Amino acid sequence: MTGRPLRQAAGSLTAFLLCALPLAVLLSATPMLPGCGRQDASPNVYPLKDGFVDASGVLIYYQELGRGNPLLIVHGGPGASHDYFLPWLLPLARTHRLVFIDERGSGKSAKLEDPSGYTVDAMVEDVEAVRTSLGLGKIDLLGHSYGGVLAQAYALKYQENLNHLVLCSTFHSTIEMNAVFRDMMEAMPAELRAKITKMEKEGLYGHGKPYEQNRYTEEYMNAAWGEGYFPYLYQNHPDPNYSPAAAGNMSWDLYRTMWGSSGEFVIDGNLSSVEYAERLKNLHVRTLITAGDHDECSPKLAKEMQGLIPGSELVIFPKSGHMTFVDQPGMFISAIDRFLNKE
């Protein structure tokens, strides 16, 4: 029980109990009984469904709503969750069946005892398991940040399963992304750069109380994310709820395995294998690439990707950082909708 007071439902005791069930169970129950309401009683109602897909022994959490062609959405981090897309992407539910997932080790999905299982290739197979298990058929696929890396990897293996590919604020080469980070460091005020460099040289893990030792210190989060990254995260509409320390609520074993342990301004974990430049020419899926003009994943990377993917389109959002759908929500939804509705 959740502790929330129960209300008397109309009809029988059975209907009463069904109405008190968790959302995921309630949405899977058929038929609907009196007192619970009808899921599709009005075109203005968008029922929410969630559950888990067993992807070769790893339970992957999904959440879906909306009507239309399936649009599967993969998040960044690595190690974040789908939650940061909401409520910003909700308008797309009017014309698309949105399917959000939490990648393995992230959000509500299963965590691995052995972090070596956190790889791009493994997550590609998780996406494919969700597609097949939910019977989605050919899908549109949208990836943001690290999710854009995952979306590229999926397309390179399974492009026959895609109608459209949308790559948002992402990169195709770790070598080039690390060069962007070096430029970012050089552009920092000297005092901030020295502070960040000192903490990185001293080691970023193992400090503080036992529960603090497997994550960045709050001082480093504030310096790296709150000052160093911030101009590249938001421009037009900074989220007033943004907190560097709160951003540290993620899957740290996954993050260290994939990103690396040296700090925010170099990727030296297993993501260092991401070098897709020579392979992107083999993609023949309708592709849209987006970035903010002040994006952490520099717009120059987006322009390079457009030149590598045949027939791809590019949109650079003005006054936007990495969180383009927060900075320019109307422009973002309009660009995605327009592209996905193309035949």
Side-chain angles (χ1 to χ4, degrees):
M1 300 296 289
T2 63
R4 187 173 51 194
L6 298 174
R7 295 177 297 172
Q8 182 64 45
S12 67
L13 177 61
T14 303
F16 172 88
L17 292 173
L18 279 173
C19 287
L21 287 173
L23 178 63
V25 177
L26 180 60
L27 290 174
S28 64
T30 57
M32 298 301 293
L33 294 181
C36 291
R38 295 185 59 83
Q39 291 184 13
D40 294 315
S42 164
N44 295 326
V45 175
Y46 292 83
L48 182 68
K49 178 181 178 182
D50 66 350
F52 293 86
V53 168
D54 193 337
S56 300
V58 180
L59 289 172
I60 303 298
Y61 177 76
Y62 72 91
Q63 191 175 86
E64 62 175 298
L65 76 160
R67 306 182 184 96
N69 294 328
L71 171 59
L72 198 152
I73 299 167
V74 286
H75 62 77
S81 76
H82 78 282
D83 292 326
Y84 74 82
F85 288 123
L86 302 174
W88 308 104
L89 270 57
L90 286 178
L92 292 171
R94 296 190 177 101
T95 51
H96 303 87
R97 177 185 174 188
L98 305 185
V99 182
F100 299 94
I101 68 167
D102 287 345
E103 294 142 19
R104 58 171 54 199
S106 302
K108 295 181 180 179
S109 288
K111 298 186 182 301
L112 305 184
E113 190 171 351
D114 180 3
S116 67
Y118 295 132
T119 66
V120 178
D121 289 344
M123 293 184 189
V124 164
E125 299 309 317
D126 294 342
V127 171
E128 177 64 359
V130 170
R131 186 192 70 83
T132 57
S133 298
L134 296 183
L136 299 179
K138 292 191 76 167
I139 61 172
D140 299 329
L141 179 63
L142 184 152
H144 173 256
S145 194
Y146 163 70
V149 171
L150 175 55
Q152 289 172 76
Y154 180 90
L156 287 167
K157 185 170 184 180
Y158 291 114
Q159 65 176 311
E160 69 275 8
N161 298 332
L162 298 176
N163 286 316
H164 299 85
L165 178 64
V166 183
L167 305 174
C168 303
S169 299
T170 190
F171 62 94
H172 62 294
S173 164
T174 303
I175 291 173
E176 294 203 36
M177 189 68 231
N178 281 337
V180 170
F181 285 138
R182 287 194 294 272
D183 291 343
M184 201 180 291
M185 286 286 284
E186 286 300 315
M188 287 180 193
E191 183 179 353
L192 175 62
R193 183 170 61 250
K195 181 179 180 180
I196 288 173
T197 301
K198 180 176 182 292
M199 286 187 280
E200 290 174 347
K201 286 182 177 177
E202 291 172 350
L204 298 175
Y205 296 91
H207 303 284
K209 297 179 175 62
Y211 59 83
E212 298 174 301
Q213 291 176 5
N214 292 313
R215 68 187 191 213
Y216 291 158
T217 64
E218 189 166 338
E219 182 183 14
Y220 185 76
M221 291 183 201
N222 286 331
W225 293 338
E227 296 181 75
Y229 267 3
F230 194 81
Y232 305 95
L233 290 177
Y234 301 100
Q235 284 286 317
N236 190 52
H237 187 203
D239 185 348
N241 292 315
Y242 176 73
S243 164
N249 184 12
M250 64 177 182
S251 177
W252 281 98
D253 55 345
L254 184 160
Y255 193 67
R256 289 185 71 178
T257 298
M258 299 192 77
W259 192 270
S261 298
S262 301
E264 284 304 288
F265 301 93
V266 60
I267 299 171
D268 57 3
N270 67 29
L271 274 181
S272 59
S273 66
V274 173
E275 295 297 334
Y276 298 152
E278 294 301 315
R279 301 174 61 196
L280 291 181
K281 64 185 177 184
N282 298 319
L283 288 183
H284 300 286
V285 180
R286 297 185 188 94
T287 302
L288 173 66
I289 302 158
T290 73
D293 60 354
H294 289 77
D295 209 308
E296 170 192 338
C297 291
S298 171
K300 74 178 183 181
L301 299 182
K303 292 173 183 175
E304 288 179 16
M305 292 168 68
Q306 184 197 18
L308 293 169
I309 301 175
S312 59
E313 300 180 30
L314 175 65
V315 175
I316 304 296
F317 298 105
K319 295 183 65 178
S320 293
H322 196 55
M323 305 300 284
T324 51
F325 43 86
V326 179
D327 272 331
Q328 298 288 4
M331 290 183 188
F332 183 88
I333 294 298
S334 177
I336 303 303
D337 239 344
R338 175 194 57 78
F339 174 74
L340 293 182
N341 288 326
K342 277 186 174 181
E343 293 299 330

